[in-house]
Amino acid sequence: MEDSNYPYLPGISTTNSSMMLPFGEFAEDLENNLGRANGNCYQRRPGIPNVHDGQIMVRLKKKRFIVIDYSIVPSPGDLAYAAVTPYVKTPPGAGIQKCTTVNCPKIGVPVCLFDSDPDEPISLYLRSGLCFTCQRHLNEKRRTQRKRKGETMDDEVQKRFRLNDQILDLDPDAIIINGQPDGTKHHGPGYEYPDILLDLQKIAQDCNHGIGHLSSAISTYVIPPLQNSPEHVEIEEVYHKAFQSFTKGLFLLSQWKSSFDTVIALKSSGEVMEGTSIADVVASAAAVAAAQAYDGTSGGEHLSMGLGATEDAKPVGPVHSDSVEHEVPMVDEHITSVSV
């Protein structure tokens, strides 16, 4: 028997309290009906459909258990009794406040008739605002999500993709910018890092505006709107516009770096005379690249995971996949990868 660990509730002169529950009243249920595993529960008093969930014993962690009752509306005597009895708790709204789940009419805040370890933090059943049934459903949903996450964690450490007969190991949360986003262009003669920087400043403003718009779109909702509702569709559109702005910015930033590095490399090698224009420097670099391609030294099979330029590739956005290996359609010979 577990009753040796728990004394009878102290005798206090509040005889009009309905919350005076001697340990012996539920000792048999504790021993024979509740069970010892965390999460076990036993219905001591039946509830009333669509009104309340009755009286329930719940096993918590470290052998702790509580007895909660959704049917009791604390009287002044109950409140006085709870104020001097550590095992008893009457949270605000007990017996009166409705469940916070939409369209649930039942009582969402119970009284606690007994807590075997009152020094521990107050149980979620007393502070969540959910009726017992809704709280259990939420607990089960979270438990299932944690289990699925644990089962897939090993598989999601890395994803393997095939590109031009080469295998790439990418993080599962990697974002691939697959080519040139609409509204941007590659660096080249007449469009080099000084010009790209001006466009980046404009895109930075667009990004800031997009995040502000997204913040405004969701600020009016206490809880997220229903999926596929007009409000949800509007927020999705705002998100995608903001994502496109950031994607353009990342792509142009890679172009700026490629242009800048090209100029620095050629000047450092001494192949370009001091005072040569940026356009001439880039033209020289293009001629070298073309000669290498003709010789077969850097054909379409080349792969770079750095910040490189691309040609003629279209899709932009995150890549999600559950399989081990995928074909990623790419026309260009460079790929910009950003791990977030």
Side-chain angles (χ1 to χ4, degrees):
M1 293 282 290
E2 295 187 38
D3 57 348
S4 60
N5 296 324
Y6 308 105
Y8 286 88
L9 298 183
I12 301 174
S13 58
T14 54
T15 55
N16 61 335
S17 174
S18 60
M19 296 178 60
M20 297 183 66
L21 186 63
F23 179 81
E25 182 174 326
F26 56 83
E28 183 177 351
D29 292 333
L30 177 64
E31 180 69 18
N32 301 320
N33 298 321
L34 180 58
R36 302 180 187 279
N38 177 29
N40 283 359
C41 60
Y42 174 67
Q43 186 93 41
R44 297 195 72 247
R45 302 282 186 273
I48 299 176
N50 296 322
V51 179
H52 63 73
D53 286 318
Q55 186 180 118
I56 305 165
M57 296 181 70
V58 185
R59 177 72 74 177
L60 304 178
K61 295 180 179 179
K62 300 179 181 178
K63 297 185 178 181
R64 181 186 177 193
F65 71 92
I66 55 176
V67 181
I68 53 179
D69 197 311
Y70 292 83
S71 67
I72 297 176
V73 179
S75 66
D78 295 331
L79 297 175
Y81 178 64
V84 295
T85 308
Y87 313 100
V88 177
K89 295 179 175 64
T90 55
I96 300 174
Q97 180 177 312
K98 299 297 183 181
C99 177
T100 56
T101 301
V102 178
N103 297 327
C104 180
K106 293 191 293 185
I107 296 298
V109 182
V111 298
C112 179
L113 301 178
F114 192 85
D115 187 338
S116 67
D117 196 348
D119 293 331
E120 288 291 314
I122 188 170
S123 169
L124 189 62
Y125 292 98
L126 298 171
R127 56 185 170 84
S128 70
L130 298 173
C131 70
F132 184 79
T133 302
C134 291
Q135 183 62 59
R136 295 290 284 193
H137 287 165
L138 180 60
N139 291 351
E140 185 60 31
K141 181 179 179 180
R142 289 173 175 171
R143 188 178 300 112
T144 301
Q145 290 173 342
R146 286 195 298 268
K147 182 179 179 182
R148 289 176 178 173
K149 183 177 180 180
E151 290 173 349
T152 59
M153 187 173 297
D154 292 339
D155 294 335
E156 291 184 351
V157 172
Q158 283 189 324
K159 296 294 185 183
R160 311 199 78 190
F161 295 85
R162 183 184 297 276
L163 175 65
N164 295 334
D165 294 328
Q166 299 187 48
I167 300 299
L168 307 181
D169 288 327
L170 300 180
D171 290 336
D173 56 356
I175 295 177
I176 297 176
I177 303 178
N178 188 12
Q180 175 185 346
D182 292 339
T184 63
K185 55 184 178 179
H186 301 280
H187 77 88
Y191 187 68
E192 294 301 337
Y193 65 88
D195 310 296
I196 297 173
L197 190 59
L198 295 177
D199 286 344
L200 278 171
Q201 291 173 343
K202 172 62 169 60
I203 290 178
Q205 295 175 355
D206 293 341
C207 291
N208 187 54
H209 177 75
I211 293 301
H213 193 184
L214 184 62
S215 177
S216 299
I218 65 174
S219 63
T220 57
Y221 301 103
V222 178
I223 57 175
L226 296 176
Q227 188 173 15
N228 296 327
S229 64
E231 295 82 4
H232 176 250
V233 172
E234 178 185 1
I235 292 175
E236 284 290 305
E237 290 177 352
V238 174
Y239 158 76
H240 285 295
K241 288 181 180 179
F243 188 88
Q244 280 285 15
S245 294
F246 277 90
T247 302
K248 291 178 181 179
L250 288 172
F251 175 79
L252 284 184
L253 189 61
S254 73
Q255 294 299 299
W256 181 94
K257 186 66 164 61
S258 179
S259 172
F260 186 77
D261 286 350
T262 298
V263 173
I264 294 298
L266 288 174
K267 284 193 173 184
S268 298
S269 67
E271 296 180 16
V272 179
M273 299 295 293
E274 193 66 33
T276 305
S277 68
I278 294 175
D280 291 337
V281 172
V282 174
S284 176
V288 172
Q292 290 177 340
Y294 180 79
D295 292 337
T297 57
S298 60
E301 300 300 312
H302 178 68
L303 173 68
S304 172
M305 291 303 293
L307 296 172
T310 59
E311 291 286 353
D312 302 326
K314 295 297 182 184
V316 177
V319 171
H320 302 285
S321 174
D322 296 324
S323 61
V324 175
E325 184 173 301
H326 300 274
E327 294 288 344
V328 179
M330 295 285 288
V331 181
D332 50 20
E333 59 181 2
H334 291 77
I335 180 172
T336 301
S337 177
V338 181
S339 184
V340 295

